[in-house]
Amino acid sequence: MAAPPSFLWSRRIFLTVLTVFVLLPVYVMLSSSLKPLEDVSEKFQWVPSEFTLRPYADIWETVPLADYFVNSLIVSGAATVCSVVIAVFAAYAVSRYDFRGKRVFTVTVLSTQMFPGILFLLPLFLIYVNIGNATGIALFGSRGGLILTYLTFSLPFSIWMLIGYFDSIPRDLDEAAKVDGCGPVGALFRVIVPAAVPGIVAVAVYAFMTAWGEVLFASVMTNDTTRTLAVGLQGYSTLNDVYWNQIMAASLVVSVPVVAGFLLLQRYLVAGLTAGAVK
Amino acid sequence: MTITVASRHDKSGPGAQRQQDRPGARRTTRRSGRLRHVSLPYLLLLPALLLELLVHLVPMLMGIVMSFRELTQFYISNWSEAPWAGLGNFRMAVDFDAPVGQALLKSFLTTCLFTVCSVALCWLIGTAAAVFLQERFRGRGLLRTLFLVPYALPVYAAVITWVFMFQRDNGLVNHVLHDQLGIGGDPAFWLVGDNAFWALLTVSVWKGWPFAFLTLMAGLQNIPRDMYEAAALDGAGVWKQIRHITLPSLRPVNQVLVLVLFLWTFNDFNTPFVLFGKAAPESADLISLHIYQSSFQTWNFGTGSAMSVLLLLFLLVVTGVYLLVTSRGRKAKARA
């Protein structure tokens, strides 16, 4: 298709402006993380007056960033694994079986997306405290409570997306597996799961990002030992000083794992969205 | 084990026979096997159901009950004993002559305006980017990856960078506007006062448009190539093809996308929370942060819950009307 100049120029201009808009904060993050403290405290400079890696060494001292990192990894990792397994089961049931209450289930799960988080923050906090008092299982302030909370955040979208994905896998495949002696669960693991890898990866990426980036529940439901990065990053501003170069360095460090993972797997995410959400 | 037994009564003949050789299968009576077969989908749904109940549905019902009680900090450890307030909390929330109701109304209107602007801009930029990146050209793959960076960055890391950029004295925004372009008198404050609305909108659009882009790119892949080829044979240029093929084909995707963007933007707590801290300036006081702040400031969780319930009702009505209108549109089209 031969595109006219009007199209080519519009495309060029639009994409240039958009690229600048998208990358500006990334540039600020990177360049400021390499500046000495005087640079970031005074007038903004496009190029650091002196390149230094000091902020990258200091971030671990100013706040216990390594601990927060480990907490975030455990919480997000566990939430992702549980959420994906549970979503696969639920989506398989909805996609392959007819049962009473199916519509009610899908509608209810989807509508939880609509709830303002603020509506169930306090009740959930009370439930966790009460469960703790009644059974001795510490949910409030623990990683377990946060894992439990986070895994339900990504669940509705994951189930929804996987239903679409599973629906697009021909039923002949499960029938063939059953002929070969698989039970329904065997068919799920031997046939459906391998065929749905792109969708499952997409859902896992989404679940991990949701957990890694959540702020509200992390700030209410953690204590000193279970704090995640979302809350821990606030530690770089003290009453006297804001260590902007360290904040930027720490932001970059906490972003690298999810951005790298996301960009590596984005192919799957687009494929997953195509098969799932869009149809 | 129990689950493999269930398959015994499947219609698939040979598989069922082989299963009977297993030791566990022989012990189960025919009847319980059938029961399990019927209950298998429920078993598979059980974990999801339990978790949704614990984390979403029960707390939501509790929130609704709380909104009818006078729940102050004295009753927090034993909330079910808080005195009944009837509709008192709701009356307080919608009493627009009193400070509480007035602030809520203002915050609600701000959120509506903000959401409309943000969703419209995210959708526009996302559509334009998806359409421009539909055809192959050099650098397309790279741009596609770069454009997803704001979506992939954790909210707090990205928003805190914007906080730094919006600093009055050492931020990039004022440096460019004031020092390099020479606009205005004194350098502006961005995170307090009326400018905060624009700061929040910028960050929200920056963070939100890649989701529209991603969804629309996926939607574009479903348009058959021969539609374009046929249009080209008929002499339609690129712009005409975009207008008459691309945009109409994206319609079903857009209907879902706009709804999802609307709900996410309207309920967004993280962006204003990281951008402004616990209390946002009045011009950018989004409703979820407003409810959070007003409940924890006065410790009156009953009123806070009533506000949340009103918010939920509003979202339910809007979503219901939206779904009704779009599905009616779809039906009318199918009939035509």
Side-chain angles (χ1 to χ4, degrees):
Chain A
M1 178 167 68
S6 69
F7 179 80
L8 291 179
W9 275 108
S10 318
R11 183 167 78 184
R12 228 166 267 164
I13 293 167
F14 177 81
L15 292 179
T16 311
V17 173
L18 191 59
T19 308
V20 172
F21 178 54
V22 164
L23 290 186
L24 205 57
V26 180
Y27 175 76
V28 169
M29 209 191 263
L30 181 66
S31 70
S32 306
S33 73
L34 298 167
K35 290 173 180 175
L37 187 60
E38 303 85 70
D39 267 26
V40 288
S41 313
E42 285 156 24
K43 213 157 247 335
F44 181 83
Q45 292 167 326
W46 285 99
V47 184
S49 66
E50 170 202 342
F51 283 97
T52 168
L53 288 172
R54 270 308 290 268
Y56 286 92
D58 291 342
I59 49 175
W60 311 96
E61 310 283 320
T62 316
V63 303
L65 191 68
D67 294 345
Y68 301 155
F69 215 99
V70 171
N71 285 336
S72 273
L73 268 181
I74 293 174
V75 169
S76 310
T80 304
V81 172
C82 300
S83 159
V84 169
V85 172
I86 294 169
V88 164
F89 281 142
Y92 179 64
V94 173
S95 166
R96 290 305 197 251
Y97 290 93
D98 270 318
F99 54 90
R100 208 172 292 163
K102 180 167 158 172
R103 250 194 92 73
V104 177
F105 173 79
T106 41
V107 170
T108 313
V109 163
L110 263 184
S111 61
T112 57
Q113 284 274 316
M114 207 190 296
F115 299 165
I118 192 74
L119 173 62
F120 56 89
L121 172 69
L122 189 72
L124 193 62
F125 161 77
L126 292 179
I127 290 177
Y128 282 3
V129 170
N130 285 336
I131 290 180
N133 291 343
T135 64
I137 304 169
L139 286 175
F140 179 71
S142 74
R143 296 194 195 108
L146 215 52
I147 293 171
L148 208 59
T149 315
Y150 285 175
L151 78 89
T152 61
F153 284 178
S154 46
L155 213 48
F157 188 72
S158 303
I159 294 175
W160 186 42
M161 202 155 132
L162 284 178
I163 292 172
Y165 214 97
F166 289 176
D167 280 346
S168 71
I169 298 169
R171 268 151 204 270
D172 304 353
L173 282 178
D174 345 359
E175 291 305 322
K178 281 183 189 153
V179 170
D180 287 343
C182 282
V185 176
L188 170 62
F189 282 112
R190 297 222 181 127
V191 180
I192 308 279
V193 168
V197 164
I200 292 171
V201 172
V203 162
V205 172
Y206 176 76
F208 191 83
M209 282 173 44
T210 311
W212 194 261
E214 206 282 330
V215 182
L216 173 60
F217 287 77
S219 55
V220 176
M221 294 207 178
T222 55
N223 59 30
D224 285 345
T225 55
T226 55
R227 198 153 291 161
T228 61
L229 292 166
V231 194
L233 230 54
Q234 291 163 9
Y236 291 101
S237 26
T238 62
L239 273 180
N240 305 318
D241 273 309
V242 182
Y243 300 107
W244 281 115
N245 51 352
Q246 291 190 37
I247 296 178
M248 294 297 106
S251 300
L252 205 73
V253 169
V254 307
S255 301
V256 164
V258 313
V259 175
F262 179 82
L263 294 184
L264 278 174
L265 298 171
Q266 49 119 346
R267 215 177 288 272
Y268 289 107
L269 199 75
V270 176
L273 274 173
T274 317
V278 170
K279 275 177 188 162
Chain B
M1 199 68 234
T2 51
I3 292 167
T4 49
V5 170
S7 73
R8 219 153 59 104
H9 305 288
D10 263 354
K11 283 170 201 116
S12 48
Q17 269 164 19
R18 214 176 299 169
Q19 293 259 326
Q20 276 180 341
D21 301 337
R22 294 200 184 166
R26 228 168 284 142
R27 258 180 274 128
T28 323
T29 63
R30 199 177 177 81
R31 195 166 168 190
S32 74
R34 180 168 298 151
L35 202 75
R36 280 185 192 137
H37 180 65
V38 172
S39 62
L40 180 67
Y42 295 108
L43 267 177
L44 290 169
L45 285 179
L46 198 64
L49 214 59
L50 282 179
L51 284 161
E52 287 296 327
L53 272 177
L54 176 73
V55 180
H56 283 125
L57 296 176
V58 171
M60 195 189 69
L61 293 178
M62 260 173 84
I64 293 173
V65 173
M66 281 167 152
S67 65
F68 291 104
R69 288 177 186 272
E70 234 167 87
L71 194 68
T72 52
Q73 71 267 42
F74 307 112
Y75 294 103
I76 220 58
S77 53
N78 211 345
W79 67 281
S80 52
E81 276 170 23
W84 197 249
L87 287 172
N89 289 319
F90 289 92
R91 228 173 273 137
M92 188 159 170
V94 297
D95 180 4
F96 300 136
D97 295 325
V100 174
Q102 218 170 31
L104 184 70
L105 181 66
K106 175 132 204 316
S107 158
F108 172 75
L109 294 175
T110 307
T111 311
C112 287
L113 180 67
F114 169 79
T115 306
V116 169
C117 293
S118 176
V119 171
L121 284 170
C122 285
W123 177 80
L124 265 177
I125 299 175
T127 304
V131 166
F132 280 136
L133 289 184
Q134 197 183 7
E135 297 299 321
R136 269 172 217 288
F137 62 91
R138 244 177 62 203
R140 172 174 170 255
L142 178 71
L143 283 180
R144 243 162 81 154
T145 309
L146 284 182
F147 285 169
L148 296 178
V149 168
Y151 180 67
L153 280 170
V155 181
Y156 47 88
V159 177
I160 218 164
T161 307
W162 279 100
V163 173
F164 178 49
M165 291 164 70
F166 281 125
Q167 292 297 300
R168 180 175 182 265
D169 296 320
N170 55 346
L172 169 135
V173 175
N174 272 349
H175 177 66
V176 170
L177 292 180
H178 188 258
D179 304 344
Q180 296 191 317
L181 298 175
I183 296 171
D186 282 340
F189 284 102
W190 287 102
L191 299 180
V192 291
D194 286 347
N195 288 332
F197 182 85
W198 303 109
L200 182 61
L201 186 62
T202 309
V203 179
S204 167
V205 170
W206 181 83
K207 189 93 191 73
W209 79 268
F211 179 76
F213 169 64
L214 200 64
T215 315
L216 289 167
M217 265 202 319
L220 286 179
Q221 290 180 358
N222 289 338
I223 305 176
R225 300 285 334 155
D226 36 339
M227 279 178 81
Y228 290 105
E229 278 154 25
L233 277 179
D234 289 342
V238 185
W239 292 115
K240 273 217 168 114
Q241 291 176 19
I242 291 174
R243 231 184 83 200
H244 296 292
I245 300 175
T246 313
L247 295 181
S249 310
L250 286 178
R251 206 166 170 163
V253 183
N254 274 326
Q255 288 177 347
V256 180
L257 174 66
V258 167
L259 182 65
V260 171
L261 277 179
F262 166 79
L263 289 173
W264 281 353
T265 316
F266 207 94
N267 285 331
D268 190 15
F269 178 90
N270 294 335
T271 313
F273 184 68
V274 180
L275 200 60
F276 303 118
K278 286 198 166 99
E282 213 179 307
S283 71
D285 194 15
L286 295 195
I287 198 141
S288 52
L289 188 59
H290 179 83
I291 295 174
Y292 172 86
Q293 203 253 344
S294 65
S295 358
F296 282 91
Q297 191 183 43
T298 60
W299 294 97
N300 192 342
F301 295 108
T303 316
S305 301
M307 291 175 176
S308 310
V309 171
L310 288 173
L311 178 61
L312 181 68
L313 285 178
F314 170 75
L315 292 175
L316 275 174
V317 169
V318 171
T319 309
V321 169
Y322 183 84
L323 289 178
L324 210 68
V325 169
T326 51
S327 73
R328 189 172 295 160
R330 222 174 292 148
K331 268 180 210 145
K333 217 178 162 193
R335 236 180 280 126

